[in-house]
């Protein structure tokens, strides 16, 4: 059985890495997690972001959840806040698309235009 | 929603909207009564009797963006179609408690689902909120508090990947320990 005391070891191991990171503001990934998002599959999307970022050791990217973003028909919705404060809104996400956003947007800085809310709205017209 | 964990997550979001800094999720399996009882208790702003009476109505919400709120009605419906019951009590400026009861072996009871992931992600997303989990079956008990974990971690945030991964495994072990062989979806 694991014990919470093991967190002490994790603390020691990660502390140095964290100190190095604090100087620069990282990218933030925010997943809409209200009733609409949860029902549409936001949990597997959030898991995919956490796993994919963990695999690539992109520890300065945070993944958190928020409430309803307001466009429930396009859930799961994910907002990516870049280090410069600009924001990209991805809609109708799934775990595969999450992996793509990590590889193309977060690692390589190329926004996945076809997954954005702008592309979805244009397609609806 | 296909998992009880997703309903729990949804209700916990209400607690954060109510400015709670403590949310306690308790899950108790009672083999004699064949019940699985989930309570979600918070110390948020609470509700007056008027709002409390209306929250199980889908056309009631505190949101300004839309006139519909489905989180509570969905969980209530899920309990009721599984031979259980659903209740909310609340006191203004003290907090709110949601009690959801399922018939454990009812064919329509949803699986517990990824409870460890839900608790861990809530803890990572709301570092200022003490997310507590208590699992009970007969004399066995498992307890977790994100506030306690945060104290052990010091400057290392709960959203750190190695922490998230470890907490998930830790809570999953607890779930297996308490509910393995008790809930049909969790092997003993």
């Amino acid at each position: 059985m694991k014990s919470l005391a093991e967190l002490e070891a994790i603390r020691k191991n990660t502390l140095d890495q964290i100190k190095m990171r604090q100087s620069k503001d990282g990218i933030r990934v925010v997943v809409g997690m209200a009733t609409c998002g949860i029902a549409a599959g936001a949990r597997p999307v959030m898991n995919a972001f956490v796993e994919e970022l963990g695999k690539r050791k992109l520890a300065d990217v945070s993944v958190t959840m928020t409430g309803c973003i307001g466009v429930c028909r396009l859930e799961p919705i994910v907002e990516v806040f870049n280090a410069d404060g600009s924001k990209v809104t991805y809609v109708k996400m799934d775990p595969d698309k999450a992996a793509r956003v990590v590889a193309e947007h977060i690692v390589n800085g190329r926004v996945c235009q076809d997954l954005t809310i702008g592309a979805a709205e244009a397609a609806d017209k | 929603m296909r998992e009880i964990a997703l309903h729990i997550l949804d209700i916990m979001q209400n607690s954060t909207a109510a400015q709670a800094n403590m949310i306690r999720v308790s899950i108790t399996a009672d083999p004699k009564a064949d019940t699985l009882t989930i309570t979600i208790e918070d110390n948020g702003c609470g509700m007056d009797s008027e709002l409390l009476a209306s929250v199980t109505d889908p056309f009631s919400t505190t949101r300004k963006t839309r006139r519909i709120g489905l989180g509570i009605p969905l969980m209530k419906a899920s309990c009721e179609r599984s031979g259980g019951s659903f209740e909310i009590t609340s006191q203004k400026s003290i907090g709110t408690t949601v009690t959801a009861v399922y018939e454990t072996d009812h064919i329509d009871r949803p699986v517990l689902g990824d409870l460890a992931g839900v608790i861990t992600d809530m803890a990572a997303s709301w570092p200022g909120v003490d997310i507590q989990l208590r699992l009970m079956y007969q004399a066995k008990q498992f307890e977790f508090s994100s506030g306690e974990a945060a104290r052990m971690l010091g400057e290392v945030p709960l959203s750190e990947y190695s922490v998230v991964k470890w907490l998930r495994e830790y809570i999953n072990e607890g779930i297996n320990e308490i509910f393995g062989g008790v809930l049909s979806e969790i092997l003993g």
Side-chain angles (χ1 to χ4, degrees), chain B residues 11-35:
Chain B
I11 303 297
M12 290 173 89
Q13 302 285 8
N14 293 345
S15 300
T16 60
Q19 318 295 327
N21 61 18
M22 189 283 297
I23 309 173
R24 183 187 297 138
V25 178
S26 310
I27 307 181
T28 310
D30 180 343
K32 274 204 201 112
D34 190 28
T35 54

PDB file of all heavy atoms in Angstrom, chain B residues 11-35:
ATOM      1  N   ILE B  11     -21.254  17.804  -9.637  1.00  0.00           N
ATOM      2  CA  ILE B  11     -21.751  18.399  -8.394  1.00  0.00           C
ATOM      3  C   ILE B  11     -20.620  19.184  -7.699  1.00  0.00           C
ATOM      4  O   ILE B  11     -20.843  20.259  -7.133  1.00  0.00           O
ATOM      5  CB  ILE B  11     -22.320  17.310  -7.445  1.00  0.00           C
ATOM      6  CG1 ILE B  11     -23.435  16.505  -8.127  1.00  0.00           C
ATOM      7  CG2 ILE B  11     -22.815  17.932  -6.131  1.00  0.00           C
ATOM      8  CD1 ILE B  11     -24.666  17.275  -8.526  1.00  0.00           C
ATOM      9  N   MET B  12     -19.395  18.651  -7.776  1.00  0.00           N
ATOM     10  CA  MET B  12     -18.260  19.351  -7.148  1.00  0.00           C
ATOM     11  C   MET B  12     -18.023  20.717  -7.803  1.00  0.00           C
ATOM     12  O   MET B  12     -17.585  21.662  -7.141  1.00  0.00           O
ATOM     13  CB  MET B  12     -16.979  18.500  -7.240  1.00  0.00           C
ATOM     14  CG  MET B  12     -17.011  17.258  -6.361  1.00  0.00           C
ATOM     15  SD  MET B  12     -15.570  16.218  -6.664  1.00  0.00           S
ATOM     16  CE  MET B  12     -14.414  16.908  -5.489  1.00  0.00           C
ATOM     17  N   GLN B  13     -18.305  20.818  -9.081  1.00  0.00           N
ATOM     18  CA  GLN B  13     -18.144  22.112  -9.757  1.00  0.00           C
ATOM     19  C   GLN B  13     -19.106  23.140  -9.171  1.00  0.00           C
ATOM     20  O   GLN B  13     -18.788  24.325  -9.077  1.00  0.00           O
ATOM     21  CB  GLN B  13     -18.403  21.984 -11.267  1.00  0.00           C
ATOM     22  CG  GLN B  13     -17.510  20.991 -11.980  1.00  0.00           C
ATOM     23  CD  GLN B  13     -16.096  21.493 -12.182  1.00  0.00           C
ATOM     24  OE1 GLN B  13     -15.711  22.540 -11.669  1.00  0.00           O
ATOM     25  NE2 GLN B  13     -15.307  20.748 -12.910  1.00  0.00           N
ATOM     26  N   ASN B  14     -20.309  22.670  -8.767  1.00  0.00           N
ATOM     27  CA  ASN B  14     -21.252  23.587  -8.112  1.00  0.00           C
ATOM     28  C   ASN B  14     -20.640  24.126  -6.821  1.00  0.00           C
ATOM     29  O   ASN B  14     -20.800  25.302  -6.485  1.00  0.00           O
ATOM     30  CB  ASN B  14     -22.562  22.865  -7.762  1.00  0.00           C
ATOM     31  CG  ASN B  14     -23.359  22.455  -8.993  1.00  0.00           C
ATOM     32  OD1 ASN B  14     -23.098  22.934 -10.089  1.00  0.00           O
ATOM     33  ND2 ASN B  14     -24.314  21.572  -8.797  1.00  0.00           N
ATOM     34  N   SER B  15     -19.947  23.241  -6.092  1.00  0.00           N
ATOM     35  CA  SER B  15     -19.329  23.659  -4.826  1.00  0.00           C
ATOM     36  C   SER B  15     -18.273  24.732  -5.055  1.00  0.00           C
ATOM     37  O   SER B  15     -18.170  25.692  -4.289  1.00  0.00           O
ATOM     38  CB  SER B  15     -18.678  22.460  -4.127  1.00  0.00           C
ATOM     39  OG  SER B  15     -19.643  21.475  -3.845  1.00  0.00           O
ATOM     40  N   THR B  16     -17.491  24.583  -6.124  1.00  0.00           N
ATOM     41  CA  THR B  16     -16.468  25.596  -6.396  1.00  0.00           C
ATOM     42  C   THR B  16     -17.133  26.911  -6.795  1.00  0.00           C
ATOM     43  O   THR B  16     -16.665  27.981  -6.417  1.00  0.00           O
ATOM     44  CB  THR B  16     -15.484  25.147  -7.499  1.00  0.00           C
ATOM     45  OG1 THR B  16     -16.219  24.904  -8.690  1.00  0.00           O
ATOM     46  CG2 THR B  16     -14.740  23.895  -7.107  1.00  0.00           C
ATOM     47  N   ALA B  17     -18.258  26.811  -7.517  1.00  0.00           N
ATOM     48  CA  ALA B  17     -18.990  28.029  -7.888  1.00  0.00           C
ATOM     49  C   ALA B  17     -19.551  28.710  -6.640  1.00  0.00           C
ATOM     50  O   ALA B  17     -19.745  29.919  -6.620  1.00  0.00           O
ATOM     51  CB  ALA B  17     -20.115  27.690  -8.861  1.00  0.00           C
ATOM     52  N   ALA B  18     -19.787  27.918  -5.587  1.00  0.00           N
ATOM     53  CA  ALA B  18     -20.303  28.468  -4.328  1.00  0.00           C
ATOM     54  C   ALA B  18     -19.161  28.910  -3.410  1.00  0.00           C
ATOM     55  O   ALA B  18     -19.373  29.126  -2.218  1.00  0.00           O
ATOM     56  CB  ALA B  18     -21.175  27.433  -3.622  1.00  0.00           C
ATOM     57  N   GLN B  19     -17.955  29.044  -3.965  1.00  0.00           N
ATOM     58  CA  GLN B  19     -16.778  29.546  -3.223  1.00  0.00           C
ATOM     59  C   GLN B  19     -16.366  28.657  -2.068  1.00  0.00           C
ATOM     60  O   GLN B  19     -15.809  29.138  -1.074  1.00  0.00           O
ATOM     61  CB  GLN B  19     -17.001  30.967  -2.665  1.00  0.00           C
ATOM     62  CG  GLN B  19     -17.692  31.948  -3.588  1.00  0.00           C
ATOM     63  CD  GLN B  19     -16.859  32.262  -4.818  1.00  0.00           C
ATOM     64  OE1 GLN B  19     -15.632  32.280  -4.741  1.00  0.00           O
ATOM     65  NE2 GLN B  19     -17.486  32.464  -5.937  1.00  0.00           N
ATOM     66  N   ALA B  20     -16.634  27.357  -2.143  1.00  0.00           N
ATOM     67  CA  ALA B  20     -16.224  26.458  -1.058  1.00  0.00           C
ATOM     68  C   ALA B  20     -14.711  26.339  -1.043  1.00  0.00           C
ATOM     69  O   ALA B  20     -14.069  26.381  -2.091  1.00  0.00           O
ATOM     70  CB  ALA B  20     -16.849  25.078  -1.271  1.00  0.00           C
ATOM     71  N   ASN B  21     -14.105  26.208   0.157  1.00  0.00           N
ATOM     72  CA  ASN B  21     -12.680  25.848   0.186  1.00  0.00           C
ATOM     73  C   ASN B  21     -12.478  24.464   0.791  1.00  0.00           C
ATOM     74  O   ASN B  21     -11.367  24.049   1.063  1.00  0.00           O
ATOM     75  CB  ASN B  21     -11.809  26.904   0.872  1.00  0.00           C
ATOM     76  CG  ASN B  21     -12.180  27.118   2.311  1.00  0.00           C
ATOM     77  OD1 ASN B  21     -12.846  26.286   2.923  1.00  0.00           O
ATOM     78  ND2 ASN B  21     -11.758  28.234   2.874  1.00  0.00           N
ATOM     79  N   MET B  22     -13.596  23.743   0.974  1.00  0.00           N
ATOM     80  CA  MET B  22     -13.550  22.338   1.392  1.00  0.00           C
ATOM     81  C   MET B  22     -14.705  21.612   0.710  1.00  0.00           C
ATOM     82  O   MET B  22     -15.842  22.056   0.763  1.00  0.00           O
ATOM     83  CB  MET B  22     -13.674  22.240   2.916  1.00  0.00           C
ATOM     84  CG  MET B  22     -13.440  20.864   3.506  1.00  0.00           C
ATOM     85  SD  MET B  22     -14.825  19.702   3.325  1.00  0.00           S
ATOM     86  CE  MET B  22     -16.116  20.506   4.261  1.00  0.00           C
ATOM     87  N   ILE B  23     -14.368  20.523   0.044  1.00  0.00           N
ATOM     88  CA  ILE B  23     -15.407  19.677  -0.544  1.00  0.00           C
ATOM     89  C   ILE B  23     -15.096  18.243  -0.120  1.00  0.00           C
ATOM     90  O   ILE B  23     -13.994  17.755  -0.367  1.00  0.00           O
ATOM     91  CB  ILE B  23     -15.413  19.739  -2.090  1.00  0.00           C
ATOM     92  CG1 ILE B  23     -15.448  21.189  -2.584  1.00  0.00           C
ATOM     93  CG2 ILE B  23     -16.594  18.954  -2.645  1.00  0.00           C
ATOM     94  CD1 ILE B  23     -15.280  21.320  -4.091  1.00  0.00           C
ATOM     95  N   ARG B  24     -16.041  17.608   0.542  1.00  0.00           N
ATOM     96  CA  ARG B  24     -15.790  16.245   1.004  1.00  0.00           C
ATOM     97  C   ARG B  24     -16.744  15.274   0.308  1.00  0.00           C
ATOM     98  O   ARG B  24     -17.956  15.404   0.404  1.00  0.00           O
ATOM     99  CB  ARG B  24     -15.975  16.139   2.518  1.00  0.00           C
ATOM    100  CG  ARG B  24     -15.645  14.741   3.050  1.00  0.00           C
ATOM    101  CD  ARG B  24     -15.998  14.599   4.520  1.00  0.00           C
ATOM    102  NE  ARG B  24     -15.207  15.504   5.340  1.00  0.00           N
ATOM    103  CZ  ARG B  24     -15.696  16.212   6.357  1.00  0.00           C
ATOM    104  NH1 ARG B  24     -16.975  16.118   6.665  1.00  0.00           N
ATOM    105  NH2 ARG B  24     -14.917  17.002   7.061  1.00  0.00           N
ATOM    106  N   VAL B  25     -16.143  14.310  -0.380  1.00  0.00           N
ATOM    107  CA  VAL B  25     -16.921  13.277  -1.053  1.00  0.00           C
ATOM    108  C   VAL B  25     -16.819  12.007  -0.225  1.00  0.00           C
ATOM    109  O   VAL B  25     -15.709  11.549   0.061  1.00  0.00           O
ATOM    110  CB  VAL B  25     -16.368  13.013  -2.480  1.00  0.00           C
ATOM    111  CG1 VAL B  25     -17.146  11.893  -3.156  1.00  0.00           C
ATOM    112  CG2 VAL B  25     -16.410  14.287  -3.311  1.00  0.00           C
ATOM    113  N   SER B  26     -17.946  11.470   0.205  1.00  0.00           N
ATOM    114  CA  SER B  26     -17.941  10.207   0.958  1.00  0.00           C
ATOM    115  C   SER B  26     -18.752   9.182   0.181  1.00  0.00           C
ATOM    116  O   SER B  26     -19.835   9.485  -0.306  1.00  0.00           O
ATOM    117  CB  SER B  26     -18.579  10.374   2.340  1.00  0.00           C
ATOM    118  OG  SER B  26     -18.016  11.478   3.008  1.00  0.00           O
ATOM    119  N   ILE B  27     -18.205   7.991   0.089  1.00  0.00           N
ATOM    120  CA  ILE B  27     -18.921   6.920  -0.610  1.00  0.00           C
ATOM    121  C   ILE B  27     -18.963   5.706   0.312  1.00  0.00           C
ATOM    122  O   ILE B  27     -17.921   5.226   0.773  1.00  0.00           O
ATOM    123  CB  ILE B  27     -18.230   6.560  -1.943  1.00  0.00           C
ATOM    124  CG1 ILE B  27     -18.038   7.829  -2.786  1.00  0.00           C
ATOM    125  CG2 ILE B  27     -19.042   5.517  -2.696  1.00  0.00           C
ATOM    126  CD1 ILE B  27     -17.390   7.594  -4.118  1.00  0.00           C
ATOM    127  N   THR B  28     -20.166   5.249   0.592  1.00  0.00           N
ATOM    128  CA  THR B  28     -20.334   4.132   1.520  1.00  0.00           C
ATOM    129  C   THR B  28     -21.143   3.035   0.857  1.00  0.00           C
ATOM    130  O   THR B  28     -22.236   3.291   0.340  1.00  0.00           O
ATOM    131  CB  THR B  28     -21.099   4.600   2.782  1.00  0.00           C
ATOM    132  OG1 THR B  28     -20.465   5.781   3.277  1.00  0.00           O
ATOM    133  CG2 THR B  28     -21.085   3.525   3.854  1.00  0.00           C
ATOM    134  N   ALA B  29     -20.604   1.833   0.884  1.00  0.00           N
ATOM    135  CA  ALA B  29     -21.358   0.680   0.387  1.00  0.00           C
ATOM    136  C   ALA B  29     -21.904  -0.080   1.581  1.00  0.00           C
ATOM    137  O   ALA B  29     -21.152  -0.397   2.509  1.00  0.00           O
ATOM    138  CB  ALA B  29     -20.452  -0.219  -0.447  1.00  0.00           C
ATOM    139  N   ASP B  30     -23.210  -0.319   1.562  1.00  0.00           N
ATOM    140  CA  ASP B  30     -23.844  -1.062   2.643  1.00  0.00           C
ATOM    141  C   ASP B  30     -24.438  -2.349   2.045  1.00  0.00           C
ATOM    142  O   ASP B  30     -25.449  -2.303   1.342  1.00  0.00           O
ATOM    143  CB  ASP B  30     -24.943  -0.199   3.270  1.00  0.00           C
ATOM    144  CG  ASP B  30     -25.656  -0.915   4.416  1.00  0.00           C
ATOM    145  OD1 ASP B  30     -25.532  -2.160   4.509  1.00  0.00           O
ATOM    146  OD2 ASP B  30     -26.334  -0.235   5.202  1.00  0.00           O
ATOM    147  N   PRO B  31     -23.775  -3.490   2.300  1.00  0.00           N
ATOM    148  CA  PRO B  31     -24.221  -4.723   1.647  1.00  0.00           C
ATOM    149  C   PRO B  31     -25.601  -5.183   2.127  1.00  0.00           C
ATOM    150  O   PRO B  31     -26.367  -5.754   1.362  1.00  0.00           O
ATOM    151  CB  PRO B  31     -23.143  -5.739   2.036  1.00  0.00           C
ATOM    152  CG  PRO B  31     -22.482  -5.188   3.245  1.00  0.00           C
ATOM    153  CD  PRO B  31     -22.619  -3.703   3.178  1.00  0.00           C
ATOM    154  N   LYS B  32     -25.920  -4.934   3.386  1.00  0.00           N
ATOM    155  CA  LYS B  32     -27.219  -5.385   3.916  1.00  0.00           C
ATOM    156  C   LYS B  32     -28.362  -4.679   3.217  1.00  0.00           C
ATOM    157  O   LYS B  32     -29.332  -5.281   2.799  1.00  0.00           O
ATOM    158  CB  LYS B  32     -27.286  -5.096   5.420  1.00  0.00           C
ATOM    159  CG  LYS B  32     -26.676  -6.222   6.233  1.00  0.00           C
ATOM    160  CD  LYS B  32     -27.235  -6.231   7.655  1.00  0.00           C
ATOM    161  CE  LYS B  32     -26.279  -6.986   8.573  1.00  0.00           C
ATOM    162  NZ  LYS B  32     -25.640  -6.101   9.552  1.00  0.00           N
ATOM    163  N   ALA B  33     -28.234  -3.358   3.094  1.00  0.00           N
ATOM    164  CA  ALA B  33     -29.311  -2.580   2.469  1.00  0.00           C
ATOM    165  C   ALA B  33     -29.176  -2.566   0.948  1.00  0.00           C
ATOM    166  O   ALA B  33     -30.049  -2.061   0.259  1.00  0.00           O
ATOM    167  CB  ALA B  33     -29.290  -1.160   3.015  1.00  0.00           C
ATOM    168  N   ASP B  34     -28.059  -3.130   0.420  1.00  0.00           N
ATOM    169  CA  ASP B  34     -27.757  -3.089  -1.011  1.00  0.00           C
ATOM    170  C   ASP B  34     -27.741  -1.649  -1.532  1.00  0.00           C
ATOM    171  O   ASP B  34     -28.258  -1.343  -2.599  1.00  0.00           O
ATOM    172  CB  ASP B  34     -28.764  -3.938  -1.814  1.00  0.00           C
ATOM    173  CG  ASP B  34     -28.324  -4.111  -3.267  1.00  0.00           C
ATOM    174  OD1 ASP B  34     -27.110  -4.068  -3.537  1.00  0.00           O
ATOM    175  OD2 ASP B  34     -29.205  -4.264  -4.125  1.00  0.00           O
ATOM    176  N   THR B  35     -27.130  -0.757  -0.756  1.00  0.00           N
ATOM    177  CA  THR B  35     -27.074   0.641  -1.192  1.00  0.00           C
ATOM    178  C   THR B  35     -25.632   1.122  -1.345  1.00  0.00           C
ATOM    179  O   THR B  35     -24.724   0.659  -0.647  1.00  0.00           O
ATOM    180  CB  THR B  35     -27.761   1.588  -0.188  1.00  0.00           C
ATOM    181  OG1 THR B  35     -27.192   1.376   1.104  1.00  0.00           O
ATOM    182  CG2 THR B  35     -29.264   1.372  -0.150  1.00  0.00           C
TER     183      THR B  35
END
